Amino acid sequence: MREQNDESFEFDVSVVGLGAMGTLMAHALLKQGKRVAIWNRSPGKAASLVAAGAHLCDSVETALVASPATIFVLLDNHATHEVLGMPGVMHALANRTIVDYTTNAQDEGPALQGLVNRAGGHYVKGMIVAYPRNVGHRESHSIHTGDREAFEQHRSLLEGLAGHTVFLPWGEALAFASVLHAHAFAAMVAFFEAVGASERFGLSVSKTARLLLDTSRFFVADALEEAARRLEAQDFAGDQARLDVHVDAFAHIAQSLHAQGAWTPVFDAVCQVAQRAASMGYGDQDIAAITLSFAHDKAPGH
């Protein structure tokens, strides 16, 4: 891809779509000193951004021409195709990069890349792993896929939206996004369950939430770091945290929770998973060996 000189453009980036996420992205970029052009189907949503220094374009075509990269944050795939079908848009895509943060189905992103490529443009699919309040945060993470060269050219711009970013091929990116969110949301619900159950013991829910967050932060992070190390080394020696010891401990914890009448479907499932892994022959190994019971539905040595 030909190197583009951003100095030849009037703006550094354009943002198309000013819902909650798009507006916050544009504000984050403005705060970082970027020259930002914007467009939205309803221009009234642009007022706060214009007041902050953004330039409101009168069409998507104008927004595309204004800068080397345009961020799409639209409602859905249908809205994206409607925007791409507007007058002058396909012609304006030539030598431009679309960075698409619109949520769509797994097969829709590659199809959009093909459409943009045929118009002479470049397509990068992006996913920010953060709620809107943390757009622009240096500790936020994002995943990108699509055109790697276009991504690398605009990496510094995209790091302004999430301080840590990784590029993966299409298949890996979509698979990783699935398992990442499965892990993150399961962890959140486990937290909500534990905090809610605390009320059964006469504890303050708000106080317990803060105590649980503070107390578990290092413990859980260390356990996951150790698990990653063991998986990389394929070392599951039970020298620190044997699975069978955990199975017994989990049974006592569950009994305590149930005695108070707590509804704990998440922790009940954890107990069942640990018991199953132990029955598969991983009992004398580190608790991280539970991973193998998910990855390989068979007992070790078979």
Side-chain angles (χ1 to χ4, degrees):
M1 185 174 68
R2 181 177 59 84
E3 185 72 19
Q4 294 172 332
N5 179 7
D6 290 359
E7 295 299 323
S8 65
F9 291 94
E10 186 176 357
F11 297 93
D12 299 310
V13 60
S14 299
V15 178
V16 168
L18 300 178
M21 185 67 86
T23 297
L24 285 169
M25 285 181 173
H27 273 298
L29 293 166
L30 286 167
K31 289 177 182 177
Q32 294 162 28
K34 302 297 184 184
R35 300 167 298 167
V36 181
I38 55 176
W39 179 88
N40 192 67
R41 196 184 299 268
S42 303
K45 290 187 176 181
S48 66
L49 287 165
V50 171
H55 172 74
L56 179 60
C57 296
D58 59 5
S59 68
V60 179
E61 178 187 10
T62 303
L64 285 166
V65 172
S67 61
T70 296
I71 293 171
F72 274 26
V73 201
L74 299 165
L75 179 62
D76 53 26
N77 192 62
H78 177 71
T80 300
H81 279 279
E82 282 191 340
V83 166
L84 291 175
M86 289 180 174
V89 168
M90 296 307 290
H91 177 74
L93 285 172
N95 297 315
R96 298 296 191 275
T97 295
I98 298 297
V99 185
D100 186 11
Y101 289 103
T102 303
T103 300
N104 49 32
Q106 290 197 357
D107 60 340
E108 292 170 342
L112 283 169
Q113 182 175 9
L115 179 64
V116 172
N117 287 166
R118 287 191 294 275
H122 311 282
Y123 181 87
V124 175
K125 174 64 182 174
M127 294 165 270
I128 292 186
V129 189
Y131 287 114
R133 60 181 173 269
N134 283 321
V135 169
H137 197 293
R138 64 182 182 181
E139 293 303 321
S140 292
H141 287 251
S142 62
I143 307 164
H144 292 88
T145 188
D147 188 324
R148 177 182 283 274
E149 192 174 349
F151 164 77
E152 293 296 346
Q153 182 180 353
H154 300 291
R155 176 189 280 272
S156 61
L157 174 73
L158 301 178
E159 287 175 343
L161 298 176
H164 303 276
T165 187
V166 61
F167 183 94
L168 297 171
W170 271 108
E172 288 184 37
L174 296 175
F176 178 63
S178 294
V179 298
L180 169 66
H181 287 95
H183 159 70
F185 290 122
M188 288 183 202
V189 174
F191 176 84
F192 303 151
E193 177 182 275
V195 172
S198 71
E199 191 174 45
R200 293 285 184 166
F201 292 86
L203 301 175
S204 161
V205 169
S206 59
K207 182 178 180 180
T208 301
R210 179 59 60 185
L211 282 170
L212 188 58
L213 175 63
D214 292 341
T215 306
S216 64
R217 184 180 283 115
F218 173 76
F219 176 52
V220 174
D222 173 70
L224 297 183
E225 179 67 34
E226 176 70 1
R229 183 195 69 77
R230 287 182 179 275
L231 288 162
E232 290 165 350
Q234 287 297 291
D235 170 19
F236 300 102
D239 58 319
Q240 290 284 319
R242 281 173 57 117
L243 174 59
D244 53 11
V245 174
H246 280 78
V247 170
D248 290 340
F250 291 173
H252 291 299
I253 296 167
Q255 183 179 23
S256 174
L257 291 164
H258 295 161
Q260 297 300 321
W263 180 54
T264 55
V266 177
F267 190 69
D268 292 346
V270 170
C271 293
Q272 293 171 9
V273 166
Q275 291 167 359
R276 178 177 181 274
S279 71
M280 294 173 70
Y282 298 114
D284 62 346
Q285 299 184 42
D286 188 87
I287 189 173
I290 287 180
T291 306
L292 306 179
S293 73
F294 289 108
H296 311 292
D297 191 15
K298 59 183 181 181
H302 289 200

